Amino acid sequence: MSQIYTFISQSQSSDGTKRVAAADNGLIYTSTDAGDTWIERPGARSRQWTSVSSSANGNHLVAVAMKWYISTSSDAGETWTLRRSAGSRAWKAVTMSPDGSNIVAADGDWGLIQVSTDFGHTWKESSSGRALWQSLAWGDGMTVTATSKAGFFTPKAY
Protein backbone atom coordinates (compact mmCIF):
# COMPACT_ATOMS: atom_id res chain seq x y z
CA MET A 1 0.00 0.00 0.00
CA SER A 2 1.36 3.37 -0.92
CA GLN A 3 -0.95 5.15 1.51
CA ILE A 4 -1.75 4.25 5.10
CA TYR A 5 -5.33 3.27 5.84
CA THR A 6 -7.00 2.27 9.06
CA PHE A 7 -8.03 -1.36 9.14
CA ILE A 8 -11.58 -1.74 10.43
CA SER A 9 -11.39 -5.51 10.76
CA GLN A 10 -8.75 -8.15 10.19
CA SER A 11 -8.41 -11.92 10.36
CA GLN A 12 -5.65 -14.41 9.68
CA SER A 13 -4.85 -18.03 9.01
CA SER A 14 -4.00 -20.20 12.01
CA ASP A 15 -0.27 -19.87 11.33
CA GLY A 16 -0.56 -16.09 10.88
CA THR A 17 1.00 -15.94 7.42
CA LYS A 18 -2.17 -15.25 5.39
CA ARG A 19 -4.14 -12.20 6.44
CA VAL A 20 -7.19 -10.29 5.27
CA ALA A 21 -8.20 -6.78 6.31
CA ALA A 22 -11.04 -4.38 5.55
CA ALA A 23 -9.89 -0.77 5.40
CA ASP A 24 -11.68 2.51 6.02
CA ASN A 25 -11.22 3.40 2.34
CA GLY A 26 -13.79 0.73 1.37
CA LEU A 27 -11.24 -1.78 0.08
CA ILE A 28 -10.08 -5.21 1.18
CA TYR A 29 -6.39 -6.10 1.38
CA THR A 30 -4.64 -9.45 1.74
CA SER A 31 -1.15 -10.45 2.81
CA THR A 32 0.73 -13.73 2.43
CA ASP A 33 3.76 -12.68 4.50
CA ALA A 34 2.20 -12.10 7.94
CA GLY A 35 1.31 -8.49 7.11
CA ASP A 36 4.71 -7.23 5.94
CA THR A 37 3.20 -6.34 2.54
CA TRP A 38 -0.44 -5.92 1.53
CA ILE A 39 -2.23 -6.36 -1.82
CA GLU A 40 -5.33 -4.34 -2.69
CA ARG A 41 -8.10 -6.63 -3.96
CA PRO A 42 -10.01 -4.75 -6.67
CA GLY A 43 -12.78 -7.36 -6.80
CA ALA A 44 -13.80 -6.28 -3.32
CA ARG A 45 -14.09 -2.51 -3.58
CA SER A 46 -16.60 0.29 -2.99
CA ARG A 47 -18.39 -1.29 -0.07
CA GLN A 48 -18.63 -0.20 3.56
CA TRP A 49 -16.94 -3.28 4.97
CA THR A 50 -17.48 -3.89 8.67
CA SER A 51 -15.98 -7.33 9.34
CA VAL A 52 -13.83 -10.04 7.75
CA SER A 53 -13.00 -13.61 8.68
CA SER A 54 -10.58 -16.29 7.49
CA SER A 55 -10.50 -20.07 7.51
CA ALA A 56 -7.63 -21.76 9.35
CA ASN A 57 -5.61 -22.23 6.13
CA GLY A 58 -6.37 -18.69 4.92
CA ASN A 59 -7.83 -19.80 1.59
CA HIS A 60 -11.51 -19.18 2.42
CA LEU A 61 -12.41 -15.60 3.31
CA VAL A 62 -15.64 -13.74 3.98
CA ALA A 63 -16.39 -10.02 4.29
CA VAL A 64 -19.62 -8.27 5.29
CA ALA A 65 -20.71 -4.67 4.75
CA MET A 66 -23.26 -2.23 6.11
CA LYS A 67 -24.80 -1.93 2.67
CA TRP A 68 -26.27 -5.46 2.77
CA TYR A 69 -23.42 -7.31 1.14
CA ILE A 70 -21.68 -10.53 1.95
CA SER A 71 -18.70 -11.47 -0.23
CA THR A 72 -16.68 -14.66 -0.19
CA SER A 73 -13.35 -15.79 -1.62
CA SER A 74 -12.07 -19.34 -2.00
CA ASP A 75 -8.61 -18.41 -3.32
CA ALA A 76 -7.11 -16.40 -0.43
CA GLY A 77 -8.70 -13.16 -1.66
CA GLU A 78 -7.54 -13.11 -5.28
CA THR A 79 -11.14 -13.17 -6.49
CA TRP A 80 -14.39 -12.39 -4.66
CA THR A 81 -18.00 -13.43 -5.20
CA LEU A 82 -20.65 -10.93 -4.14
CA ARG A 83 -23.50 -12.62 -2.30
CA ARG A 84 -26.63 -11.42 -0.58
CA SER A 85 -28.25 -13.48 2.09
CA ALA A 86 -32.01 -13.77 2.41
CA GLY A 87 -33.13 -10.17 2.81
CA SER A 88 -31.17 -6.95 2.97
CA ARG A 89 -29.21 -6.43 6.16
CA ALA A 90 -26.71 -4.04 7.68
CA TRP A 91 -24.04 -6.61 8.56
CA LYS A 92 -21.95 -5.83 11.62
CA ALA A 93 -19.93 -9.01 12.20
CA VAL A 94 -18.97 -12.28 10.54
CA THR A 95 -17.09 -15.41 11.52
CA MET A 96 -16.08 -18.59 9.73
CA SER A 97 -15.41 -22.17 10.82
CA PRO A 98 -11.82 -23.42 10.64
CA ASP A 99 -12.48 -25.20 7.32
CA GLY A 100 -14.45 -22.24 5.91
CA SER A 101 -17.60 -24.21 5.15
CA ASN A 102 -19.73 -22.65 7.90
CA ILE A 103 -20.24 -18.89 8.02
CA VAL A 104 -22.26 -16.89 10.52
CA ALA A 105 -23.15 -13.23 9.87
CA ALA A 106 -24.79 -10.88 12.38
CA ASP A 107 -26.97 -7.90 11.53
CA GLY A 108 -26.34 -4.82 13.67
CA ASP A 109 -29.65 -3.08 12.93
CA TRP A 110 -32.34 -5.77 13.00
CA GLY A 111 -30.57 -8.23 15.30
CA LEU A 112 -30.76 -11.17 12.93
CA ILE A 113 -28.19 -13.90 12.49
CA GLN A 114 -27.76 -15.63 9.13
CA VAL A 115 -25.98 -18.96 8.72
CA SER A 116 -24.43 -20.66 5.70
CA THR A 117 -23.22 -24.26 5.81
CA ASP A 118 -22.00 -24.38 2.20
CA PHE A 119 -19.19 -21.78 1.96
CA GLY A 120 -21.69 -18.90 1.58
CA HIS A 121 -23.70 -20.22 -1.37
CA THR A 122 -27.02 -20.34 0.52
CA TRP A 123 -28.17 -18.71 3.77
CA LYS A 124 -30.80 -19.27 6.42
CA GLU A 125 -31.88 -17.26 9.43
CA SER A 126 -31.01 -18.54 12.88
CA SER A 127 -33.05 -17.68 15.96
CA SER A 128 -31.17 -14.83 17.56
CA GLY A 129 -33.14 -13.19 20.32
CA ARG A 130 -33.16 -10.02 18.18
CA ALA A 131 -30.28 -8.26 19.93
CA LEU A 132 -28.16 -5.64 18.16
CA TRP A 133 -25.08 -7.77 17.61
CA GLN A 134 -21.61 -6.30 17.87
CA SER A 135 -19.27 -9.27 17.37
CA LEU A 136 -19.08 -12.99 16.61
CA ALA A 137 -16.47 -15.54 17.62
CA TRP A 138 -15.98 -19.15 16.60
CA GLY A 139 -15.54 -21.16 19.79
CA ASP A 140 -14.27 -24.71 20.03
CA GLY A 141 -14.62 -25.32 16.30
CA MET A 142 -18.26 -26.32 16.68
CA THR A 143 -19.99 -23.32 18.29
CA VAL A 144 -20.34 -19.59 17.68
CA THR A 145 -20.95 -16.92 20.28
CA ALA A 146 -22.58 -13.62 19.39
CA THR A 147 -22.20 -10.61 21.67
CA SER A 148 -24.26 -7.48 22.14
CA LYS A 149 -24.71 -4.87 24.83
CA ALA A 150 -27.45 -7.14 26.20
CA GLY A 151 -25.23 -10.22 26.57
CA PHE A 152 -24.24 -13.40 24.77
CA PHE A 153 -26.01 -15.84 22.46
CA THR A 154 -24.94 -19.17 20.98
CA PRO A 155 -27.07 -19.80 17.87
CA LYS A 156 -26.27 -23.53 17.52
CA ALA A 157 -23.50 -26.06 17.20
CA TYR A 158 -22.23 -26.81 13.66
Side-chain angles (χ1 to χ4, degrees):
M1 286 187 298
S2 60
Q3 190 171 0
I4 303 294
Y5 297 103
T6 301
F7 287 154
I8 295 165
S9 177
Q10 76 87 33
S11 188
Q12 65 189 28
S13 60
S14 60
D15 67 3
T17 58
K18 292 183 181 177
R19 297 185 181 193
V20 59
D24 63 356
N25 65 350
L27 299 174
I28 290 181
Y29 297 86
T30 60
S31 173
T32 57
D33 57 10
D36 287 339
T37 59
W38 292 89
I39 299 168
E40 178 183 308
R41 295 304 180 180
R45 75 170 53 234
S46 302
R47 311 267 189 271
Q48 291 178 334
W49 302 115
T50 55
S51 184
V52 293
S53 189
S54 173
S55 63
N57 66 9
N59 292 331
H60 293 282
L61 306 174
V62 62
V64 295
M66 289 301 289
K67 298 290 184 179
W68 313 301
Y69 296 103
I70 299 174
S71 290
T72 60
S73 174
S74 59
D75 56 11
E78 288 189 35
T79 60
W80 290 83
T81 301
L82 182 63
R83 303 184 189 280
R84 281 189 189 219
S85 67
S88 296
R89 303 287 177 238
W91 301 111
K92 179 72 174 174
V94 68
T95 191
M96 176 178 277
S97 63
D99 70 356
S101 64
N102 297 300
I103 304 169
V104 179
D107 171 35
D109 287 347
W110 294 94
L112 302 174
I113 291 180
Q114 295 276 322
V115 177
S116 174
T117 57
D118 58 5
F119 297 93
H121 295 283
T122 61
W123 295 85
K124 64 182 178 180
E125 186 176 323
S126 177
S127 174
S128 69
R130 305 284 189 226
L132 300 181
W133 304 116
Q134 298 296 309
S135 66
L136 293 168
W138 209 272
D140 59 4
M142 298 301 291
T143 58
V144 172
T145 300
T147 60
S148 74
K149 292 179 183 177
F152 298 92
F153 171 73
T154 302
K156 71 175 249 179
Y158 295 94

